[in-house]
Amino acid sequence: QASWKRLEQEKECLEARLHVLDSSLSDSKDRDRYLSDSLMHVQSSLKQQQQADVHVGFLVDGFHKGMDDLTNNLQRSDSYAKTSRSQQDCFEKDLAEQGRLY
C-alpha cells in the first residue's frame, strides 16, 4: 500500500515535470519562430537598404554629372560673352576710326 502510494506520488511528480518540459519546449518553439521571423525581417530590411543605397548612388552620380554639365555650360557662356564683348569693342573701334576718317 505504501509502496503503491509512493509510486503514485512519483508518477505525479514525473507528470508535473513532463508538463513543465512540454511548456518549456512550447515556449522555446515560440521563441524560435519569433527569432526566425525577426531574422527574415532583418534580411528583408538589409536587402531594401542595399537597393536604396544603389538608387542613392545613381542619384549622386546623376547630380555630379548635372553639376559638371552646368559648370561646362557656364564656362562656355562666359567664353561666348567675352568673345562677343571683344568683337563689339573691335566693331566700335572700327566705327570710331571710320567716323574720324570721314
Side-chain angles (χ1 to χ4, degrees):
Q1 188 66 270
S3 158
W4 183 254
K5 188 163 187 125
R6 190 173 59 82
L7 286 175
E8 207 44 52
Q9 287 174 343
E10 284 182 28
K11 178 185 170 208
E12 287 175 9
C13 184
L14 289 173
E15 285 175 347
R17 287 181 183 172
L18 181 60
H19 177 71
V20 169
L21 287 174
D22 282 344
S23 178
S24 177
L25 180 61
S26 177
D27 290 347
S28 179
K29 286 180 181 178
D30 289 344
R31 280 192 303 272
D32 285 351
R33 276 192 293 276
Y34 174 77
L35 289 173
S36 177
D37 290 347
S38 296
L39 181 60
M40 287 185 350
H41 177 72
V42 167
Q43 287 172 333
S44 174
S45 295
L46 265 175
K47 186 175 181 180
Q48 290 174 351
Q49 181 64 44
Q50 289 169 341
Q51 290 171 343
D53 289 347
V54 168
H55 291 143
V56 168
F58 289 145
L59 288 173
V60 169
D61 289 346
F63 175 78
H64 287 300
K65 173 82 170 92
M67 289 301 293
D68 290 345
D69 290 347
L70 178 62
T71 301
N72 290 338
N73 287 339
L74 288 173
Q75 288 172 346
R76 268 186 287 200
S77 293
D78 183 54
S79 176
Y80 294 149
K82 286 178 182 173
T83 300
S84 176
R85 182 66 189 162
S86 175
Q87 288 173 346
Q88 183 179 352
D89 288 347
C90 288
F91 180 70
E92 287 173 357
K93 277 184 188 177
D94 286 347
L95 280 178
E97 285 291 322
Q98 288 178 7
R100 270 187 261 143
L101 292 177
Y102 294 109

